[in-house]
Amino acid sequence: MTLTDDARTEASARPAPPEPFYTEDHEAYRETVREFLKREVLPNYEAWEEARLIDRTAWLAAGEAGMVGLAIPEEYGGAGELDRRYRMVFSEEIARANTTSFGVGLGLQDDIITPYFLHIGTEDQKQRFLPGLASAELIGAVAMTEPGTGSDLQGIRTSAVRDGDDWILNGQKTFISSGIQADFAIVVARTDPDAGSRGFSLFLVETGTPGFERGRKLDKVGIIGQDTAELFFRDVRVPAENVMGEIGGGMGYLMQNLPLERLGIAMASLAGAEAALEWTLDYVYQRRAFGQRIGDFQNTRFELAEIETEVDVARAYLERAILKFNAGVLTTVEASKAKWYISELQQRVVYRCQQLFGGYGFMLEYPIGRAYRDARIQTIYGGTTEIMKEIIGRAQAARYRD
């Protein structure tokens, strides 16, 4: 069969097929992550979950293997790699290995802690903290949420009052990820009660500073191996060199960094949904009931067909969002859409997949049981689904202002 001249012209006029999302370098990194998890994490993960704490040696091993600090410039000990596709590869392998607690801790370092130093840190602060973050010898936390405030950041009551060149910090924080092990916390405090959104600032408070105390290790529903704590600040003296950015710029810095945090949650959510689908497909085509494989029942096929389609559609949006972030053009609204939709999708996927496991789905020895437990937080932290919709809705309303 030969093509006519018209057919050849039409074929040559078609756009080239899209390039694969991942390159050979990303796939090589995947093998490195997979081998690291197999060697350093999986043999110890159950013990960490029981202790409700990831062992410090695992953090150091992650630093040595290049699992953290990808975006940190080489002069500070990092890889200087800004391509977020590598973080997506990491999220996918964490989900497949069902080691969410470990992934959340490292994600906090790369997606939340490190950007503050990269964007607003002084050279002295970068020299003091970035090498330790790159090697995972230092663990950081962001002390933002307070009892009674939740997503209402403007309700923060922790205060910082100037005393000469220093600041005196007083207040309480809760739900602080890595709060038990953190070597320092980036603390959000009110520095001017009359300045509205310009009345908040960020302070670096290091472990051992008098008046800085950790409360109890909080007992969570899921991701139980990742430590979460209450923090207390009683007349904590913070030197001027530990102020991050400008006084009064705290709220703006938080808003600047939240899109990356929300993109990271969306990435982990999609990876979790895809892993749940993989486990379920394997299960339903091995398990038999009423004389046939569970996967051969029409209801099972319809359920899994819907799930796979929804996951594939979500991946298309997320891949575009990641590439836009790489290009520096991802908006807050786009990140909010990815966060709320994909985290809610993960809830639906895990729930429906667990149902297909029957009674075994309720057993933690099956990966879907732990995934069901660990997935629940995704629609809550980093800004609840309701807050994401409010952000999107406000942007819509702004387009129709007189």
Side-chain angles (χ1 to χ4, degrees):
M1 179 179 178
T2 60
L3 291 173
T4 66
D5 289 342
D6 288 344
R8 289 193 187 94
T9 301
E10 181 182 349
S12 64
R14 292 172 186 161
E19 295 183 2
F21 182 65
Y22 292 125
T23 67
E24 291 182 2
D25 288 341
H26 296 113
E27 296 303 337
Y29 182 68
R30 183 186 305 281
E31 291 304 315
T32 300
V33 175
R34 192 172 290 173
E35 178 57 32
F36 172 80
L37 294 175
K38 181 180 178 181
R39 182 182 68 250
E40 301 287 349
V41 177
L42 286 171
N44 305 301
Y45 193 72
E46 293 296 335
W48 297 340
E49 290 273 280
E50 289 180 11
R52 295 189 293 129
L53 197 72
I54 303 296
D55 194 270
R56 195 87 183 203
T57 58
W59 286 84
L60 296 174
E64 186 175 348
M67 297 295 104
V68 292
L70 291 181
I72 295 175
E74 293 181 10
E75 60 262 37
Y76 302 109
E81 180 55 73
L82 301 178
D83 185 351
R84 300 303 297 179
R85 287 176 290 182
Y86 288 100
R87 288 287 299 134
M88 185 64 194
V89 167
F90 183 80
S91 295
E92 289 169 352
E93 294 308 312
I94 285 288
R96 289 192 180 106
N98 210 16
T99 53
T100 306
S101 293
F102 181 74
V104 167
L106 269 61
L108 173 69
Q109 296 281 92
D110 273 8
D111 297 344
I112 304 177
I113 303 296
T114 296
Y116 283 103
F117 289 96
L118 297 180
H119 297 154
I120 63 171
T122 65
E123 184 56 33
D124 172 69
Q125 290 167 352
K126 290 177 181 178
Q127 293 283 355
R128 288 162 55 201
F129 291 94
L130 284 180
L133 288 170
S135 65
E137 294 175 88
L138 290 180
I139 298 175
V142 173
M144 188 186 321
T145 306
E146 297 185 2
T149 63
S151 297
D152 180 16
L153 297 181
Q154 300 241 19
I156 287 174
R157 301 175 64 182
T158 296
S159 65
V161 178
R162 190 186 295 272
D163 183 32
D165 290 335
D166 298 340
W167 291 82
I168 307 299
L169 197 64
N170 281 282
Q172 176 183 353
K173 302 290 183 177
T174 193
F175 305 147
I176 307 306
S177 298
S178 297
I180 294 296
Q181 295 202 86
D183 298 293
F184 67 90
I186 300 173
V187 182
V188 185
R190 186 183 292 273
T191 46
D192 186 344
D194 301 317
S197 63
R198 293 290 301 172
F200 300 89
S201 304
L202 304 183
F203 299 88
L204 279 164
V205 182
E206 300 172 70
T207 297
T209 303
F212 175 26
E213 300 176 7
R214 309 177 204 270
R216 61 193 176 99
K217 181 165 55 177
L218 300 175
D219 193 10
K220 300 177 296 186
V221 171
I223 52 171
I224 59 176
Q226 194 275 324
D227 61 298
T228 303
E230 298 173 314
L231 301 179
F232 299 93
F233 306 91
R234 298 184 176 92
D235 293 326
V236 175
R237 182 171 291 275
V238 182
E241 60 265 26
N242 278 21
V243 174
M244 295 205 79
E246 296 181 0
I247 293 297
M251 199 61 66
Y253 301 139
L254 294 177
M255 296 304 106
Q256 175 183 327
N257 282 296
L258 282 173
L260 177 56
E261 178 184 1
R262 288 161 181 168
L263 181 64
I265 294 170
M267 290 160 57
S269 294
L270 184 68
E274 290 178 335
L277 175 60
E278 287 180 23
W279 301 327
T280 308
L281 284 166
D282 288 343
Y283 180 79
V284 300
Y285 285 108
Q286 294 175 16
R287 176 78 171 170
R288 301 183 69 86
F290 302 102
Q292 64 183 34
R293 299 178 303 178
I294 294 174
D296 291 327
F297 288 100
Q298 187 183 66
N299 179 70
T300 304
R301 288 181 174 177
F302 281 11
E303 281 286 307
L304 293 173
E306 288 183 10
I307 290 170
E308 185 170 295
T309 302
E310 291 181 45
V311 167
D312 285 351
V313 171
R315 172 166 278 276
Y317 183 86
L318 183 62
E319 288 184 356
R320 187 181 73 168
I322 292 171
L323 294 177
K324 292 186 78 169
F325 180 85
N326 283 351
V329 295
L330 182 71
T331 68
T332 297
V333 169
E334 289 168 327
S336 299
K337 288 177 179 178
K339 196 275 179 185
W340 91 255
Y341 183 80
I342 300 176
S343 65
E344 291 286 352
L345 172 64
Q346 184 187 12
Q347 310 303 304
R348 299 195 303 273
V349 168
V350 171
Y351 179 86
R352 293 164 76 183
C353 286
Q354 186 185 42
Q355 184 72 17
L356 292 173
F357 274 80
Y360 292 108
F362 204 61
M363 300 294 111
L364 288 177
E365 63 190 86
Y366 279 75
I368 196 68
R370 180 184 289 157
Y372 177 80
R373 181 187 67 185
D374 289 347
R376 188 62 193 91
I377 189 59
Q378 299 289 76
T379 64
I380 299 172
Y381 64 4
T384 64
T385 293
E386 292 74 20
I387 294 296
M388 297 302 98
K389 291 180 179 179
E390 178 65 16
I391 291 170
I392 299 164
R394 286 180 181 177
Q396 288 175 333
R399 300 201 298 264
Y400 289 90
R401 285 180 184 157
D402 294 333

